[in-house]
Amino acid sequence: EDQVTQSPEALRLQEGESSSLNCSYTVSGLRGLFWYRQDPGKGPEFLFTLYSAGEEKEKERLKATLTKKESFLHITAPKPEDSATYLCAVISGGYNKLIFGAGTRLAVHP
Amino acid sequence: NAGVTQTPKFQVLKTGQSMTLQCAQDMNHEYMSWYRQDPGMGLRLIHYSVGAGITDQGEVPNGYNVSRSTTEDFPLRLLSAAPSQTSVYFCASSYSSETEEYFGPGTRLTVT
C-alpha cells in the first residue's frame, strides 16, 4: 500500500536556527514528489516538485532534496514568516493521484 | 486570474441536510479534485475529474457526489450530511494528473 510519512509532527525553531523536515514514502514507482506550504485557515500553496533521486530544488531559504526512499525540506536561517505547516505528497505508478502526508507544523520564534 | 475559488467559506448543517460546495477555476485546467482535511490525517481525495463529463472516485467517496459539466466548475454535493463529514474541504486544479495542484481557500463544514 502506498504511504507517505512526515516527521517530526511539529518543530519549534529559533529564528536563524537551520533544520530539516523529513518525508519518507513507500510507493510502487514514484512519479513525482511535491512539497506544499499551508498557512492556518488557507489552502496549500505549491513549493516544489521533484521527479528523480538526486534532484534538488531551491527557493529563498528552502531547499528540497530527493532520494529513493525519502525527501528532505531544508530550511536555512528561518524567519518567523516561515512558520506554517509543510505538506509532502507523492504520485505513484500504482495510484494516479496525489497521496499526502499528515504534515509538519513549523513554528519559528524571534 | 482568480485561480481556484470556493463558496461558501463556512457552513453549518444539521444531520440529514444536503448541500453543494461550489468550486471554480479560471486557469483552463483539465484536472480538478476535491479533498477533505482532518486533524492528524492529512488531505484525503474524495472525487476527481480529468475533464468535462469525466469523474471518478478517490479514497473517501461515500456520501458525496460530483459532476463536471464545464471545464471551469466542479461542485461537490453532500447527499445527507452526517457528523463524520465535519471537516475542511479543499478544491484543487492542475494542468494534468502529474503536475502540481493549485488549491482553493477551503470550506469549513460543521455537521451537528
Side-chain angles (χ1 to χ4, degrees):
Chain A
E1 180 182 340
D2 295 337
Q3 198 166 8
V4 179
T5 303
Q6 292 188 244
S7 62
E9 286 187 19
L11 181 63
R12 177 190 170 112
L13 298 174
Q14 289 298 122
E15 184 172 3
E17 179 187 3
S18 301
S19 187
S20 297
L21 313 182
N22 178 263
C23 172
S24 63
Y25 58 90
T26 306
V27 296
S28 52
L30 180 71
R31 289 165 56 188
L33 185 141
F34 301 80
W35 282 99
Y36 289 85
R37 170 191 170 125
Q38 185 174 23
D39 293 301
K42 297 190 175 181
E45 177 186 345
F46 170 72
L47 292 174
F48 303 110
T49 308
L50 302 167
Y51 289 106
S52 57
E55 190 174 357
E56 299 181 352
K57 294 271 181 76
E58 284 189 69
K59 179 180 179 180
E60 296 181 355
R61 295 176 293 282
L62 300 177
K63 179 180 177 180
T65 62
L66 181 65
T67 72
K68 290 186 177 181
K69 294 182 178 180
E70 59 192 348
S71 176
F72 291 94
L73 185 65
H74 306 279
I75 303 176
T76 302
K79 298 181 178 182
E81 52 262 43
D82 294 321
S83 297
T85 295
Y86 290 86
L87 302 172
C88 171
V90 300
I91 295 180
S92 74
Y95 186 68
N96 192 29
K97 295 165 279 293
L98 279 178
I99 302 168
F100 279 87
T104 294
R105 293 190 312 278
L106 174 67
V108 182
H109 295 268
Chain B
N1 283 356
V4 179
T5 58
Q6 293 183 237
T7 56
K9 290 186 70 66
F10 302 94
Q11 183 70 49
V12 179
L13 291 178
K14 294 186 185 302
T15 297
Q17 288 185 316
S18 63
M19 78 160 294
T20 299
L21 308 185
Q22 301 292 343
C23 173
Q25 53 92 8
D26 62 0
M27 296 175 282
N28 203 32
H29 286 164
E30 290 294 329
Y31 191 89
M32 295 186 73
S33 52
W34 276 102
Y35 294 88
R36 60 178 288 172
Q37 187 174 40
D38 302 292
M41 298 192 71
L43 286 153
R44 291 183 292 168
L45 184 66
I46 304 171
H47 285 285
Y48 67 101
S49 169
V50 299
I54 307 170
T55 64
D56 204 349
Q57 297 181 351
E59 180 185 357
V60 288
N62 292 342
Y64 308 95
N65 267 0
V66 292
S67 60
R68 183 107 178 262
S69 57
T70 68
T71 298
E72 294 77 21
D73 300 300
F74 190 43
L76 177 72
R77 284 182 289 278
L78 279 69
L79 309 174
S80 177
S84 61
Q85 293 179 305
T86 293
S87 187
V88 182
Y89 292 84
F90 289 101
C91 178
S93 75
S94 63
Y95 176 73
S96 76
S97 63
E98 297 190 18
T99 58
E100 67 274 13
E101 292 197 81
Y102 294 88
F103 286 79
T107 294
R108 184 174 294 275
L109 175 69
T110 302
V111 183
T112 61

